[in-house]
């Protein structure tokens, strides 16, 4: 009989070591002599890193001032339920030099920026400066797409509409007089937000791009007036706006407001008495929220975070304990086999 030649399938892989899975492989045999020392080394490394992180975190200075005003004796109590523009002042003291650079944050509690529908309530095309979406905002912004007269809102959405708008000024008491501490608002937003994700329309002057639109309902002024003194900090690329639009992951959070980098305070805030003046605009009483101001410096590991160092120490300790347990179990069965 004549054997019929079989046609090779066009999908058949090449006859190579890689495609036919004939490459050499190494499969370690996990014996007690390998696993137990490995757990000890990993545990020791984690404990070392954890101790370093914890010490660095403990050295960071932190000053928190709650200005919610829920106590009748608090200087901001009068502003808690006020519907009009309200200003209050708080005094505090710094006992020792507050080493620089000093970062100025505002904080909110019980505020869920991580809620899915709230976070999706924005129009990315609009925020990128696409004029087509100024007249016809995305439906994802509902119910903050148009006002009661059906005029489109720019920027639309719940996220932009709820932008934090308290403002602060800080002064230092020097020889009985108040000396203003300059606050630097440049470079507080993420580089990608300022240079990539957000764009102003290519229209000059900027106000003309917003003809036929309305500002968000809760805003005191339109977006093209957030900073009329600096063209590079106005509109959609305003630093405060960008910081707010970068959502927080947890309901208790703080966001960078300013940095203290002036030449007079390059080494930090000197010991003494200070006054914080607050334009109290943002309501939190209705949802049992709280507001605070945080002054902090940083170290090589970032801001103050005791949990990170503790977590490393706990995991490292668990590895060491597990290595001891495995050693006891191994010795028990090893001696049992020898008997």
């Amino acid at each position: 009989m004549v054997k019929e030649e079989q046609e090779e399938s066009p999908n058949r892989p090449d006859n190579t070591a890689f495609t036919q899975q004939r490459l050499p492989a190494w499969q370690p045999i996990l014996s007690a002599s390998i696993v137990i020392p490995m757990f000890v080394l990993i545990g020791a490394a984690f404990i070392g890193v954890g101790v370093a992180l914890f010490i660095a975190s403990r050295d960071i200075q932190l000053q928190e001032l709650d200005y919610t005003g829920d106590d009748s004796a608090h200087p901001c109590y009068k502003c808690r339920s006020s519907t009009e523009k309200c200003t209050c002042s708080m005094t505090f003291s710094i006992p020792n030099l507050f080493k620089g650079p000093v970062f100025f944050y505002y904080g909110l509690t019980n505020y869920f920026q991580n809620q899915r529908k709230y976070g999706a309530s924005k129009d990315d095309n609009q925020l990128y400066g696409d004029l087509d979406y100024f007249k016809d905002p995305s439906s994802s912004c509902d119910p903050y797409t148009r006002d009661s007269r059906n005029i489109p809102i720019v920027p639309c959405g719940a996220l932009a509409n709820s932008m934090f708008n308290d403002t602060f000024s800080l002064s230092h008491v020097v020889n009985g007089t108040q000396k203003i501490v300059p606050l630097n608002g440049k470079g507080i937003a993420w580089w990608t937000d300022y240079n990539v994700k957000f764009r102003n329309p290519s229209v000059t002057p900027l106000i003309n791009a917003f003809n036929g639109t309305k500002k968000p309902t809760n805003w005191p002024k339109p977006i093209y007036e957030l900073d009329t003194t600096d063209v590079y900090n106005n509109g959609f690329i305003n630093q405060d706006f960008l910081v707010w639009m970068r959502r927080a992951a947890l309901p208790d959070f703080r966001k960078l407001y300013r940095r203290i980098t002036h030449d007079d305070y390059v080494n930090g805030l000197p010991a003494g008495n200070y006054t914080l003046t607050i334009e109290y605009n943002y309501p939190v009483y209705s949802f049992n929220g709280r507001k605070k101001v945080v002054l902090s410096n940083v170290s090589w590991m970032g801001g103050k975070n005791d949990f990170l160092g503790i977590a490393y120490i706990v995991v490292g300790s668990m590895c060491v304990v597990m290595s001891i347990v495995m050693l006891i179990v191994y010795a028990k069965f090893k001696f049992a086999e020898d008997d």
Side-chain angles (χ1 to χ4, degrees):
M1 296 179 60
V2 180
K3 295 183 178 179
E4 296 181 357
E5 295 183 358
Q6 297 179 353
E7 295 183 359
E8 291 187 359
S9 171
N11 296 324
R12 181 180 179 181
D14 295 335
N15 187 23
T16 63
F18 178 77
T19 57
Q20 296 297 331
Q21 300 183 18
R22 295 195 301 267
L23 289 174
W26 176 68
Q27 184 176 359
I29 299 175
L30 298 178
S31 63
S33 60
I34 295 177
V35 173
I36 294 175
M38 185 183 299
F39 266 71
V40 173
L41 292 175
I42 293 174
F46 269 63
I47 292 174
V49 172
V51 170
L53 290 173
F54 186 76
I55 293 174
S57 178
R58 299 292 289 182
D59 289 340
I60 294 174
Q61 295 169 282
L62 196 69
Q63 179 88 33
E64 290 190 1
L65 298 171
D66 189 309
Y67 70 96
T68 310
D70 52 356
D71 184 355
S72 58
H74 196 281
C76 292
Y77 178 77
K78 61 181 180 179
C79 300
R80 186 186 64 169
S81 56
S82 176
T83 57
E84 299 179 356
K85 187 176 180 180
C86 185
T87 302
C88 59
S89 298
M90 296 178 61
T91 58
F92 64 97
S93 61
I94 296 178
N96 302 304
L97 174 67
F98 203 102
K99 297 178 181 179
V102 180
F103 294 83
F104 188 117
Y105 301 87
Y106 63 85
L108 294 173
T109 63
N110 200 36
Y111 197 111
F112 291 83
Q113 269 200 322
N114 57 358
Q115 206 271 346
R116 185 190 63 80
K117 193 170 183 179
Y118 170 83
S121 184
K122 62 180 180 177
D123 188 337
D124 290 325
N125 292 301
Q126 194 182 80
L127 297 171
Y128 196 69
D130 192 332
L131 292 174
D132 292 338
Y133 292 87
F134 280 39
K135 304 299 182 183
D136 186 21
S138 169
S139 59
S140 62
C141 289
D142 291 338
Y144 301 99
T145 306
R146 297 176 181 272
D147 68 359
S148 58
R149 294 183 296 172
N150 203 36
I151 299 176
I153 296 174
V154 180
C156 68
L159 186 56
N161 185 65
S162 60
M163 178 180 169
F164 185 83
N165 60 352
D166 284 358
T167 57
F168 311 94
S169 63
L170 183 65
S171 59
H172 178 207
V173 180
V174 180
N175 297 326
T177 60
Q178 297 283 351
K179 178 183 178 182
I180 297 297
V181 179
L183 303 177
N184 183 5
K186 293 184 178 180
I188 60 174
W190 283 32
W191 184 92
T192 51
D193 291 343
Y194 185 82
N195 294 279
V196 180
K197 290 184 63 176
F198 294 78
R199 283 285 183 272
N200 280 330
S202 301
V203 177
T204 305
L206 184 61
I207 186 175
N208 291 342
F210 297 86
N211 292 334
T213 66
K214 286 292 184 179
K215 64 178 179 63
T217 307
N218 291 340
W219 283 28
K221 55 186 176 182
I223 194 164
Y224 51 81
E225 292 181 359
L226 291 182
D227 187 356
T228 56
T229 62
D230 186 357
V231 66
Y232 298 106
N233 190 42
N234 197 22
F236 294 138
I237 57 173
N238 176 264
Q239 296 279 330
D240 292 322
F241 177 68
L242 296 179
V243 169
W244 179 255
M245 295 298 284
R246 173 65 62 171
R247 293 188 297 138
L250 300 174
D252 299 344
F253 61 86
R254 68 186 188 189
K255 290 176 179 282
L256 184 59
Y257 179 73
R258 294 293 184 268
R259 293 179 297 170
I260 301 175
T261 57
H262 192 267
D263 291 343
D264 293 344
Y265 300 95
V266 67
N267 294 322
L269 296 174
N273 297 320
Y274 291 82
T275 300
L276 177 68
T277 303
I278 306 151
E279 286 192 12
Y280 197 110
N281 304 309
Y282 203 74
V284 296
Y285 184 66
S286 59
F287 58 87
N288 296 321
R290 304 193 68 82
K291 301 191 290 185
K292 63 182 177 181
V293 162
V294 181
L295 296 174
S296 176
N297 46 30
V298 297
S299 69
W300 59 269
M301 54 81 66
K304 191 175 185 65
N305 186 356
D306 291 344
F307 172 79
L308 188 60
I310 293 173
Y312 268 90
I313 293 173
V314 169
V315 173
S317 300
M318 290 176 62
C319 288
V320 173
V321 170
M322 287 300 299
S323 66
I324 296 173
V325 171
M326 287 187 290
L327 180 61
I328 294 172
V329 173
Y330 171 72
K332 178 180 178 181
F333 281 93
K334 182 68 173 175
F335 292 144
E337 290 177 359
D338 293 342
D339 294 341

